[in-house]
């Protein structure tokens, strides 16, 4: 990578734009939000299920000046909340999304409005009619156990007991979750709004927001007018503005400088005529209201539909139809609602889109087969590229927040998180799946937002697999090596817009290589209790000895997006040399007179070292939780190269920049590229090409240097995420193809190959390297995460989160490595972990509570067993401790391993 001379390091904030201005359309200019004074003037835009819940939460936290405005009438405003069927299935592969659903139900449980419940915990049933669907329910059962949702896998006989009118002849199993429930969304809105009003909040109906006023890039007020007439324009003073406008969120977000990747989509819904076979009563014999259910909600994932009782009728929702996007500007307004009675979030029913789901309901519920539909409509909901909500503060306008694309399921939970975030500065849980800053702004074209939202709609009930990629707007980011990777048969996946190879078909030839050596899958036991976790004769202390790999068998489920070629690529990395396209790694350049002080304050480790130093460090929140892990390389005085995790890091770092302009951040990710060159022959490949000393003595582990490779200027970082000798080699994108070709020409005699993310994932787990966002988050401390080495408590000047860590270094759990023998497959992230000390793992898996969950797992091709990382209570973290880990309803024995499992002495990296 070519880096300007250090004399430019102190360039002011107004210096000419760098390449970052091309990759980040809207630079972050707002400051890091500070806790809001309870007396601050807060205006919430939108009085639906989220806005009402947020007002209630803000008032309960002592806020005294809360105003909620909505263009529709109270308390049924005409948005999605007014027609939402209110199904809340808590089980989710995401722990955070499950927690938000649990919070929503827990808040509304037992509350009544005018003698009518806000929530009915009738339970849920998810049915399976094929073996594949049943496997998915077994996976969901594991999630439920991991996250504390009561659940049971049941057979067709039990389904018939819970729903006597269902035809169970084709049902082979089901997942029953008895604490799931129906939220009566309109009542939930009214109850929470009235409670907020009783606490001092004001609600204004038929009031349309026209604009947001600001001064010095900070919110000062909201301009509104009468929604019915467009008259009486006025300003509501505001210190904080929160957009909770539901399907209007994309338009409202623009008022605060946001480009929210969310899009309204139509969804078919209808009721049947009264069903004579339905009793119209609850299990206790009491009569059902016209919106109540006495039996569990039913979800039929294989047919893309759900249904439940509405008194003596059945309400049906259909996802198995073509995506129908609605342009945000085409949504109808309040005047249309008042004139016609047609709610903006209800659109004309498209019969042809509903026919399949209607016929499928009749297959399992024959009593509705000949009944006409009533009150049918296409409801409008917001969809995002990954299905997650949109929370957070604007990067452009201080005081402006959004809480958008939130369904009833997570409504009250999201409101609690946002209220905590606004009032205290601490959202209380990990928000990286919720914060809208998780998306790269460069991706957010209208076509991308619309296409990804449509895809998200289409996949609501689809089964997702590891490494499953979007099919929409591919190829937005490619490295200079992309064509070479395709020539090698790269099987591509997408990540944050980048095309990345999982493996390369051309490497199948390695299995026929005379030097390829394999080994049997390893049974483990006493090895876990040795000084380091792998006392294995297959791995010699002789670094020149061959390192064999095991090629696992995977079942049909785990074969998706996987190939045994990954094992061959792992073998080549451990025995020869491999080149990995690492261009998708996020990287910044931080420079300026204040850069050292700025980075030291935000990092747990000492990073302001002499030029050439590379440091692994953590950025923490004020509670000592891990906001990110980064690599900091010192290029010169006041000049730093940062390897980070993604857009959230840039958002936060930019917000914390000194106001005096003494620090500048450049996002150089797309203007540069990176090759990870690793393996025992990496130095043999690079040396003939290099101007510079890359010997072990000349460029030691965790050091960096500017060198030239085949005439190309390169920044070489001697780091290795796969546990072998080598470097991350960075250069400008214009030089990338020459660098790749030169390395492959030089490496031909050593058997160099391109390797992909599948091998990479396994190799990094064998070394015990953590992945932020999956293995650890802001809910975890460094010590608990096994990263205490990245903290310098005695560092001069201290660092953010230091006091909290000193007071509470541990939160009572540990991230541990585990090993397990499985005939095929591997546990997925979110699989529940059980303590096995009091009896067999299988018995405890059936009867006991989960004590933790898996964060990452893969087959360790070199170690010959399934390996992974999991959170467990501290008392279960000692090597040799037996655990039980569930996969598809079956609990397998696992064992805590000492770390690192592979090359504990680091001899293979430091040579």
């Amino acid at each position: 990578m070519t880096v300007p001379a250090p004399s430019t390091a102190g360039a002011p904030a107004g210096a000419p734009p760098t390449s970052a201005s091309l990759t980040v359309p809207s630079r972050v200019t707002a400051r890091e939000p500070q806790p809001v004074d309870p007396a601050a003037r807060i205006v919430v835009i939108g009085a639906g299920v989220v806005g009402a819940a947020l007002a209630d939460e803000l008032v309960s936290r002592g806020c005294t000046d809360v105003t909620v405005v909505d263009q529709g009438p109270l308390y049924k405003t005409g948005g999605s909340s007014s027609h939402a069927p209110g199904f809340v299935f808590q089980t989710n592969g995401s722990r955070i999304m499950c927690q938000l659903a649990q919070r929503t139900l827990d808040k509304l449980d037992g509350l009544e409005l005018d003698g009518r419940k806000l929530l009915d915990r009738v339970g849920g049933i998810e049915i399976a009619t094929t073996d594949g669907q049943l496997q998915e329910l077994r996976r969901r059962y594991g999630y439920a156990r991991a996250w504390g949702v009561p659940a049971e896998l049941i057979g067709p006989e039990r389904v018939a007991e819970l729903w006597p009118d269902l035809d169970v002849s084709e049902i082979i199993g089901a997942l029953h979750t008895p604490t799931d429930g129906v939220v009566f969304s309109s009542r939930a809105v009214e109850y929470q709004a009235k409670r907020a009003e009783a606490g001092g909040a004001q609600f204004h109906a038929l009031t349309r927001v026209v604009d947001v006023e600001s001064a010095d890039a900070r919110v000062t007020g909201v301009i509104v007018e009468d929604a019915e007439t467009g008259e009486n324009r006025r300003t509501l003073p505001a210190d904080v503005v929160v957009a909770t406008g539901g399907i209007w969120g994309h338009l409202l977000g623009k008022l605060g400088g946001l480009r929210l990747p969310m899009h309204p989509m139509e969804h078919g819904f209808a009721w049947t005529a009264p069903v004579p076979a339905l009793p119209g009563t609850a299990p206790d014999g009491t009569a059902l209201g016209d919106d109540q259910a006495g039996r569990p909600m039913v979800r039929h994932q294989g047919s893309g539909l759900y249904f439940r009782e509405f008194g003596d009728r059945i309400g049906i929702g259909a996802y198995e139809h073509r995506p129908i996007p609605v342009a945000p500007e085409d949504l109808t307004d309040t005047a249309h609602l008042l004139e016609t009675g047609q709610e903006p979030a209800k659109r004309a029913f498209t019969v042809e889109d509903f026919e399949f789901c209607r016929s499928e309901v009749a297959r399992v519920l024959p009593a509705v087969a000949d009944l006409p539909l009533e009150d049918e409509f296409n409801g409008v909901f917001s969809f995002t590229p990954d299905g997650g909500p949109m929370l957070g503060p604007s990067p452009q306008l201080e005081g402006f927040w959004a809480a958008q694309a939130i369904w009833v399921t997570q409504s009250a939970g999201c409101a609690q998180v946002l209220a905590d975030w606004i009032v205290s500065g601490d959202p209380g849980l990990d928000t990286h799946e919720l914060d809208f800053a998780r998306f790269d702004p460069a991706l957010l074209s209208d076509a991308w937002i619309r296409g990804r939202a449509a895809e998200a709609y289409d996949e609501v009930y689809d089964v997702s697999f590891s490494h499953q990629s979007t099919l929409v707007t591919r190829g937005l980011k490619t490295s200079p090596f992309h064509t070479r990777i395709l020539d090698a048969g790269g099987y591509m996946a997408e990540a944050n817009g980048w095309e990345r190879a999982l493996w390369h078909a051309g490497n199948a030839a390695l299995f026929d290589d005379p030097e390829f050596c394999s080994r049997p899958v390893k049974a483990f036991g006493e090895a876990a209790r040795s000084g380091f976790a792998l006392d294995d004769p297959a791995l010699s202390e002789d670094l020149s000895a061959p390192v064999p790999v095991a090629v696992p068998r995977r079942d049909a489920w785990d074969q998706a997006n996987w190939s045994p070629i990954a094992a061959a690529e792992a073998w080549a990395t451990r025995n020869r040399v491999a080149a990995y396209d690492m261009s998708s790694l996020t990287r910044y350049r931080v420079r300026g007179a204040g850069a050292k002080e700025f980075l030291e304050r935000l990092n747990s480790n000492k990073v302001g070292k002499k030029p050439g130093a590379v440091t692994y460090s953590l950025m923490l929140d004020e509670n000592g939780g891990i906001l990110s892990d980064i690599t900091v390389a010192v290029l010169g005085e006041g000049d730093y190269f940062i390897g980070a995790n993604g857009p959230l890091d840039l958002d936060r770092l930019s917000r914390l920049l000194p106001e005096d302009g003494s620090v500048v951040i450049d996002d150089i990710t797309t203007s540069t590229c990176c090759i990870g060159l690793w393996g025992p022959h990496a130095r043999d490949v690079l040396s003939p090409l290099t101007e510079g000393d890359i010997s072990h003595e000349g460029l030691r582990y965790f050091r960096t240097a500017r060198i030239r490779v085949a005439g190309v200027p390169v920044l070489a970082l001697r780091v290795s995420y796969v546990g072998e000798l080598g470097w991350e080699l960075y250069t400008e994108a214009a030089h990338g193809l020459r660098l790749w070709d030169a390395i492959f020409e030089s490496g031909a005699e050593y058997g160099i190959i391109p390797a992909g993310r599948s091998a990479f994932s396994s190799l990094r787990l064998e070394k015990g390297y953590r992945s932020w966002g999956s293995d650890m988050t802001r809910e975890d401390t460094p010590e608990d995460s096994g990263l205490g080495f990245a903290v310098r408590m005695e560092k001069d000047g201290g660092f953010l989160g230091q006091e909290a860590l000193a007071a509470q270094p541990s939160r009572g759990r540990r991230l541990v490595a585990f090993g397990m023998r499985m005939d095929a497959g591997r546990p997925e992230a979110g699989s529940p972990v059980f303590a096995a000390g009091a009896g067999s793992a299988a018995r405890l898996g059936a009867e006991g509570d989960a004590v933790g969950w898996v964060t990452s797992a893969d087959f360790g091709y070199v170690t010959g067993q399934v390996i992974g990382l999991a959170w467990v209570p501290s008392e279960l973290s000692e090597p040799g401790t037996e655990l039980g880990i569930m996969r598809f309803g079956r609990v397998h024995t696992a064992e805590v391993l000492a770390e690192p499992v592979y090359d504990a002495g680091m001899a293979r990296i430091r040579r």
Side-chain angles (χ1 to χ4, degrees):
M1 182 186 66
T2 303
V3 180
S7 61
T8 67
T18 67
S19 59
S21 62
L22 297 177
T23 58
V24 183
S26 299
R27 298 288 295 197
V28 176
T29 57
R31 310 301 300 167
E32 185 76 357
Q34 299 301 307
V36 169
D37 188 311
R41 299 166 297 180
I42 302 175
V43 175
V44 178
I45 307 172
V49 72
V50 178
L54 178 61
D56 184 40
E57 296 294 336
L58 290 170
V59 168
S60 73
R61 285 161 177 73
C63 295
T64 58
D65 193 345
V66 177
T67 303
V68 183
V69 298
D70 198 292
Q71 63 179 341
L74 299 176
Y75 293 94
K76 195 171 182 179
T77 62
S80 300
S81 302
S82 301
H83 68 73
F87 285 61
V88 177
F89 286 87
Q90 301 164 84
T91 306
N92 196 292
S94 162
R95 174 171 165 266
I96 295 302
M97 295 298 285
C98 182
Q99 284 183 323
L100 295 173
Q102 290 170 315
R103 286 187 177 198
T104 297
L105 293 184
D106 289 345
K107 177 181 180 179
L108 302 179
D109 208 356
L111 301 180
E112 294 185 351
L113 179 69
D114 299 329
R116 304 177 72 189
K117 294 179 179 179
L118 306 188
L119 163 68
D120 228 340
R121 287 195 188 252
V122 295
I125 297 176
E126 303 184 56
I127 61 175
T129 58
T130 68
D131 290 338
Q133 293 165 22
L134 188 58
Q135 278 289 75
E136 167 66 2
L137 295 187
R138 291 182 180 128
R139 176 165 75 159
R140 291 177 61 78
Y141 173 67
Y143 294 148
R145 296 295 300 276
W147 315 141
V149 178
E152 58 177 342
L153 290 167
I154 59 177
E157 298 81 7
R158 177 62 175 149
V159 173
E161 291 176 8
L162 292 167
W163 246 100
D165 298 299
L166 290 186
D167 180 352
V168 299
S169 61
E170 295 185 12
I171 296 175
I172 62 174
L175 177 64
H176 179 218
T177 44
T179 62
D180 286 344
V182 175
V183 171
F184 304 103
S185 54
S186 292
R187 291 206 289 276
V189 169
E190 185 173 353
Y191 180 94
Q192 293 178 97
K194 287 183 174 179
R195 188 162 68 178
E197 287 180 302
Q202 298 183 49
F203 280 69
H204 298 294
L206 303 177
T207 304
R208 179 187 294 115
V209 172
V210 177
D211 205 349
V212 172
E213 288 187 339
S214 63
D216 298 323
R218 180 167 187 86
V219 163
T220 60
V222 178
I223 302 174
V224 299
E225 65 183 15
D226 293 344
E228 187 174 4
T229 64
E231 299 175 352
N232 190 24
R233 187 164 292 195
R234 57 205 182 275
T235 298
L236 304 177
D239 304 302
V240 175
V241 175
V242 188
T244 64
I247 57 177
W248 291 275
H250 185 74
L251 300 174
L252 289 174
K254 292 180 179 180
L255 302 180
L258 299 177
R259 185 167 180 78
L260 296 177
M262 55 180 289
H263 204 287
M265 305 290 297
E266 294 188 27
H267 168 60
F269 194 89
W271 286 265
T272 66
V275 184
L278 292 181
T281 59
D284 63 3
T286 59
L288 296 175
D290 59 8
D291 60 354
Q292 287 185 288
R295 302 174 185 183
M297 308 170 291
V298 178
R299 181 154 63 173
H300 188 352
Q301 184 154 329
S303 296
L305 63 87
Y306 59 88
F307 63 89
R308 74 167 175 91
E309 293 172 301
F310 280 77
D312 61 356
R313 301 193 298 170
I314 295 293
I316 307 166
Y319 278 107
E320 198 63 33
H321 65 70
R322 65 188 172 98
I324 310 175
V326 181
E329 57 272 14
D330 289 343
L331 294 167
T332 58
D333 59 12
T334 302
H336 182 268
L337 167 64
L338 297 177
E339 179 181 346
T340 66
Q342 183 69 38
E343 297 175 2
K346 285 185 175 181
R347 294 172 72 87
F349 188 64
T350 51
V351 178
E352 65 279 6
D353 292 309
F354 202 78
E355 281 304 307
F356 173 78
C357 286
R358 179 181 179 178
S359 64
E360 288 296 293
V361 171
R363 283 166 59 88
V364 294
L365 187 58
V368 306
D370 299 322
L371 295 176
L373 298 178
E374 298 178 346
D375 305 321
E376 58 267 40
F377 65 94
N378 281 5
V380 183
F381 297 92
S382 293
F383 284 77
T384 62
D386 59 5
M390 296 285 173
L391 303 182
S394 169
Q396 301 295 317
L397 185 60
E398 290 187 46
F400 190 96
W401 294 70
Q404 295 291 166
I406 301 166
W407 293 6
V408 172
T409 300
Q410 282 86 24
S411 57
C414 282
Q416 291 173 356
V417 170
L418 195 65
D420 284 337
W421 201 347
I422 292 172
V423 173
S424 71
D426 178 11
L429 50 70
D430 174 48
T431 56
H432 88 273
E433 296 178 48
L434 314 176
D435 194 327
F436 52 72
R438 65 189 183 271
F439 295 105
D440 182 351
L443 300 177
L444 306 185
S445 67
D446 288 342
W448 187 87
I449 294 171
R450 183 174 59 252
R452 289 294 296 268
E455 184 180 55
Y457 181 91
D458 196 42
E459 295 180 347
V460 166
Y461 274 16
D462 287 358
V463 177
S464 61
F465 298 92
S466 296
H467 300 297
Q468 182 170 317
S469 281
T470 177
L471 300 176
V472 176
T473 323
R474 292 292 295 268
L476 283 173
K477 300 180 187 177
T478 58
S479 76
F481 331 126
H482 184 63
T483 56
R484 299 292 189 262
I485 290 169
L486 292 181
D487 290 343
Y491 184 91
M492 309 305 291
E494 183 268 356
N496 194 30
W498 285 97
E499 296 293 320
R500 307 192 306 186
L502 297 179
W503 67 84
H504 304 75
N507 289 332
L510 290 171
F511 291 121
D512 298 321
D513 191 300
E515 294 183 355
F516 181 80
C517 51
S518 62
R519 53 163 296 174
V521 171
K522 178 181 184 295
F524 69 95
E526 291 299 321
R529 288 180 274 277
S530 64
F532 60 94
L534 193 68
D535 183 14
D536 192 332
L539 293 179
S540 169
E541 292 185 4
D542 179 3
L543 298 185
S544 64
V547 178
V549 296
V551 182
R553 183 175 67 87
R554 290 199 174 186
D555 56 24
W557 185 279
D558 219 36
Q559 282 279 3
N561 304 310
W562 179 82
S563 168
I565 294 172
E569 294 183 354
W571 174 82
T573 306
R574 294 285 190 232
N575 288 276
R576 292 177 174 175
V577 61
Y580 291 77
D581 181 2
M582 304 300 291
S583 299
S584 63
L585 294 177
T586 301
R587 44 199 174 273
Y588 311 129
R589 183 160 166 248
V590 178
R591 54 195 173 89
K596 178 179 179 180
E597 181 182 359
F598 173 70
L599 290 174
E600 288 288 16
R601 176 60 183 159
L602 296 180
N603 277 277
S604 64
N605 212 340
K606 181 175 176 57
V607 297
K609 302 176 183 177
K610 294 181 179 180
V614 178
T615 306
Y616 175 79
S617 184
L618 305 173
M619 295 194 297
L620 310 177
D621 67 10
E622 292 186 351
N623 297 318
I626 302 173
L627 288 175
S628 189
D629 64 336
I630 65 173
T631 302
V632 181
V634 186
L635 304 180
E637 185 69 27
D639 200 354
Y640 299 86
F641 176 91
I642 308 294
N645 283 296
L648 285 169
D649 289 328
L650 182 60
D651 181 89
R652 180 166 181 266
L653 288 171
S654 298
R655 290 175 182 276
L656 294 170
L657 284 173
E659 295 186 15
D660 61 5
S662 62
V663 182
V664 176
I665 298 177
D666 300 325
D667 182 353
I668 60 173
T669 306
T670 54
S671 61
T672 57
C673 57
C674 176
I675 298 173
L677 183 68
W678 294 305
H681 287 295
R683 187 174 285 117
D684 298 323
V685 172
L686 202 61
S687 291
L689 304 173
T690 300
E691 297 176 23
D693 187 356
I694 61 168
S695 67
H696 178 62
E697 294 74 19
L699 184 55
R700 291 189 174 275
Y701 186 56
F702 260 71
R703 297 285 296 175
T704 185
R706 292 185 178 94
I707 60 175
R708 287 190 179 268
V709 179
V712 171
V714 167
L715 181 69
L717 271 66
R718 188 162 171 205
V719 297
S720 175
Y721 207 53
V722 300
E724 297 294 339
L725 167 68
W727 303 266
E728 290 178 0
L729 303 173
Y730 294 91
T731 189
E732 292 179 354
H735 299 302
L737 189 58
R738 175 176 172 81
L739 179 64
W740 180 274
D741 286 346
I743 285 173
F744 269 79
E745 183 178 353
S746 177
E749 66 177 291
Y750 301 102
I752 191 171
I753 65 157
R757 305 298 293 192
S758 292
F760 185 88
S761 170
S762 171
L763 298 173
R764 73 99 177 171
L765 283 171
E766 287 182 329
K767 284 298 294 180
Y769 293 148
R770 276 62 171 147
S771 176
W772 181 85
S774 55
D775 297 325
M776 73 283 189
T777 69
R778 72 183 301 160
E779 296 183 16
D780 310 306
T781 68
E783 191 66 31
D784 289 345
S785 304
L787 299 173
F789 66 88
V791 177
R792 294 289 179 269
M793 293 297 290
E794 71 285 356
K795 192 172 75 166
D796 292 342
F799 56 87
L800 189 66
Q802 182 179 32
E803 293 182 4
L805 281 189
Q808 188 182 15
S810 173
R811 297 176 183 176
R813 65 188 188 201
R814 291 288 190 277
L815 185 64
V816 300
F818 67 83
M820 60 193 299
R821 171 73 181 273
M822 299 182 69
D823 293 334
R826 55 181 175 167
E828 295 182 278
S831 297
V833 178
F834 302 92
S840 74
R843 182 183 67 78
L844 287 175
E847 302 172 7
D849 293 332
V851 297
W853 64 92
V854 173
T855 62
S856 302
D858 209 332
F859 189 87
Y861 301 116
V862 174
T863 52
Q865 58 185 305
V866 172
I867 55 175
L869 297 169
W871 282 103
V872 299
S874 299
E875 60 269 22
L876 298 179
S877 63
E878 286 299 313
T881 301
E882 185 178 317
L883 303 171
I885 296 179
M886 180 180 285
R887 181 174 187 260
F888 295 133
R890 178 186 173 191
V891 178
H892 304 260
T893 298
E895 191 169 299
V896 176
L897 302 176
E899 294 188 80
V901 175
Y902 175 80
D903 188 27
M906 302 288 283
R908 295 176 183 273
I909 291 180
R910 295 172 173 167
R911 56 174 167 174

